[in-house]
Amino acid sequence: MKVFSTTGRKQETYQVEMNYSLLWECALGIAAITNERLLDSLDQPMSYWKNVRTNLSRNLQAQLDYVEANNTWKALLQLLHQQDFASLDVFTEYINKLTERELIYQCIPFISESHQPIREQAAARSREAIEQLKEATKDNPFFPTYISFICQVDSQQLKQHLITVMSGWYEAVIEPDREKLTSILQTDVSIKEKMRQKMNPEEFVEWATGGIRYTPEPSVHKVLLIPQYIYRPWNITADIEGTKVYYYPVSNESISPSDKYMPSNFLVLRHKALGDEVRLRMVKLLFEQSRTLQDITEKLEMGKSTIHHHLKILRSAQLVGIEDGKYVLKRSAITSLAKELEQYIQQ
């Protein structure tokens, strides 16, 4: 595991740290295979995921069903943020030693500084505090039900599940490709370190994530960048106390460092995303103004599921985002396409 940090402008920005580990890759793999709605947009083809599922033990498949039903992949990520774990054994030992209250508290998502006392009370299984957290996270698609589950589940049952699913996935999926995955993650951090020295923190975060512009917030002092291979091309975001987390997709250069003809994964994604009549029409609609899913559906006279599929592709390519419940075109990503292509060709 390797960590580096940098400090930007005084009082105006945030620190940036990078941290890589096969344990992050393991937890994110569990998150990916249990998010069926996104599987068709990931770099790995559907045949890969079906093959993985088929070859897993029945017990592990049952554990993954439990993950899908209760979003316990979130608990794994929450726990991995508690300290740097040198190995799976150390992580397992850590989980086993947690008290019931510690386990629940650490698995509950961080919401804000003001909600920390309520989080403590919810960890003690206070019904009132649990309901307050559910109300505070009602706009999140799964937080309320996840919080309710975490605060009510038997702690020993949860521990056994987390250890079993993490250990099972690591042995079945991570261990066979351990050297390859370690090399990819190490290479990506090394590449990012070189570029980091040439940019201020905000520029660096935008470049590393393929287009996410994160402006400083008063309560956030650090941005943690965690490279991941399994969830490409998506960025996954999370909040922990005082920190914004991005699990970002490793670059193509990190996967094939000796191939000078390998284009950036986001360059490929963006051109693929724009190489479709429906998606080009969507881009033009969003160039005119931000629109809701219903607006786009009515304009293009197509089913919502079809529209949502195309928007998912545009979002994974960082061409479209969501703000205040509406889809928004990331104009800078569109206008920079020609420059990115020129840079690739001339490098």
Side-chain angles (χ1 to χ4, degrees):
M1 185 177 291
K2 178 179 177 181
V3 178
F4 73 79
S5 64
T6 177
T7 302
R9 297 168 299 189
K10 294 180 180 180
Q11 305 298 321
E12 296 179 4
T13 187
Y14 39 73
Q15 289 184 317
V16 177
E17 291 186 3
M18 293 197 71
N19 191 333
Y20 73 87
S21 168
L22 291 180
L23 298 183
W24 294 114
E25 194 70 13
C26 185
L28 290 169
I30 293 167
I33 201 169
T34 55
N35 190 348
E36 191 172 345
R37 293 178 301 172
L38 276 185
L39 283 181
D40 64 348
S41 67
L42 300 181
D43 277 8
Q44 296 284 14
M46 286 296 292
S47 57
Y48 166 83
W49 297 106
K50 290 179 181 178
N51 184 59
V52 168
R53 269 277 193 180
T54 301
N55 291 315
L56 297 178
S57 67
R58 288 186 178 180
N59 181 45
L60 184 52
Q61 290 192 43
Q63 295 295 332
L64 290 173
D65 289 340
Y66 192 84
V67 173
E68 190 165 4
N70 300 295
N71 290 301
T72 50
W73 57 268
K74 180 61 175 175
L76 290 171
L77 292 179
Q78 290 283 125
L79 291 167
L80 282 171
H81 278 296
Q82 302 309 310
Q83 64 183 57
D84 284 340
F85 297 98
S87 68
L88 180 60
D89 288 341
V90 175
F91 182 58
T92 297
E93 182 181 6
Y94 176 83
I95 292 176
N96 274 324
K97 288 183 176 180
L98 290 172
T99 66
E100 177 180 90
R101 190 163 180 167
E102 288 171 340
L103 177 68
I104 296 173
Y105 178 80
Q106 291 178 19
C107 288
I108 296 174
F110 172 80
I111 301 173
S112 69
E113 289 289 346
S114 63
H115 284 87
Q116 289 295 73
I118 303 173
R119 186 182 179 194
E120 289 276 8
Q121 295 165 25
R125 300 190 188 271
S126 162
R127 289 185 178 274
E128 182 181 353
I130 294 169
E131 291 304 315
Q132 285 181 288
L133 288 183
K134 289 168 65 177
E135 175 64 23
T137 59
K138 63 182 180 182
D139 293 333
N140 185 283
F142 75 91
F143 271 14
T145 53
Y146 168 77
I147 289 170
S148 182
F149 164 78
I150 286 295
C151 294
Q152 296 177 39
V153 69
D154 178 79
S155 61
Q156 290 304 315
Q157 177 185 333
L158 179 59
K159 283 184 180 182
Q160 188 59 47
H161 160 68
L162 296 175
I163 291 170
T164 301
V165 72
M166 190 76 167
S167 300
W169 186 269
Y170 193 97
E171 180 181 354
V173 181
I174 300 297
E175 186 59 39
D177 287 329
R178 181 172 56 84
E179 291 185 6
K180 172 189 172 183
L181 290 171
T182 300
S183 176
I184 289 173
L185 299 177
Q186 287 177 339
T187 300
D188 199 83
V189 168
S190 178
I191 291 171
K192 297 298 189 295
E193 164 70 356
K194 293 176 182 177
M195 187 62 74
R196 194 261 315 168
Q197 297 173 7
K198 304 176 183 178
M199 297 179 171
N200 67 43
E202 291 125 271
E203 291 172 333
F204 177 60
V205 168
E206 182 175 359
W207 175 78
T209 59
I212 294 179
R213 291 186 175 183
Y214 180 66
T215 54
E217 296 178 84
S219 60
V220 177
H221 313 294
K222 180 173 69 177
V223 170
L224 177 59
L225 298 177
I226 299 175
Q228 51 85 12
Y229 175 69
I230 195 67
Y231 227 107
R232 287 194 350 143
W234 288 93
N235 283 282
I236 303 123
T237 63
D239 294 292
I240 56 178
E241 192 170 357
T243 302
K244 190 76 173 181
V245 183
Y246 292 106
Y247 310 92
Y248 71 89
V250 297
S251 66
N252 284 350
E253 185 181 0
S254 301
I255 299 172
S256 302
S258 60
D259 185 355
K260 72 174 185 177
Y261 297 102
M262 178 67 72
S264 155
N265 50 308
F266 279 108
L267 179 64
V268 173
L269 277 172
R270 286 166 183 161
H271 280 275
K272 281 185 176 181
L274 294 173
D276 179 273
E277 179 184 339
V278 172
R279 293 194 286 273
L280 277 175
R281 293 173 72 190
M282 287 181 173
V283 167
K284 186 171 178 62
L285 282 172
L286 295 176
F287 179 81
E288 294 173 349
Q289 65 184 68
S290 302
R291 301 178 189 269
T292 64
L293 177 62
Q294 184 64 36
D295 293 336
I296 300 171
T297 301
E298 292 174 356
K299 284 285 186 181
L300 297 182
E301 299 181 341
M302 294 180 178
K304 282 188 177 180
S305 59
T306 300
I307 295 297
H308 190 266
H309 169 74
H310 286 294
L311 285 169
K312 184 168 62 177
I313 292 173
L314 289 169
R315 287 181 62 206
S316 70
Q318 293 292 330
L319 293 173
V320 168
I322 299 178
E323 295 178 9
D324 299 325
K326 292 185 177 182
Y327 289 92
V328 179
L329 183 67
K330 295 186 177 182
R331 299 193 179 204
S332 61
I334 298 291
T335 56
S336 65
L337 263 176
K339 293 180 181 178
E340 291 176 1
L341 180 60
E342 183 180 7
Q343 180 181 358
Y344 162 67
I345 292 173
Q346 294 181 351
Q347 69 181 5

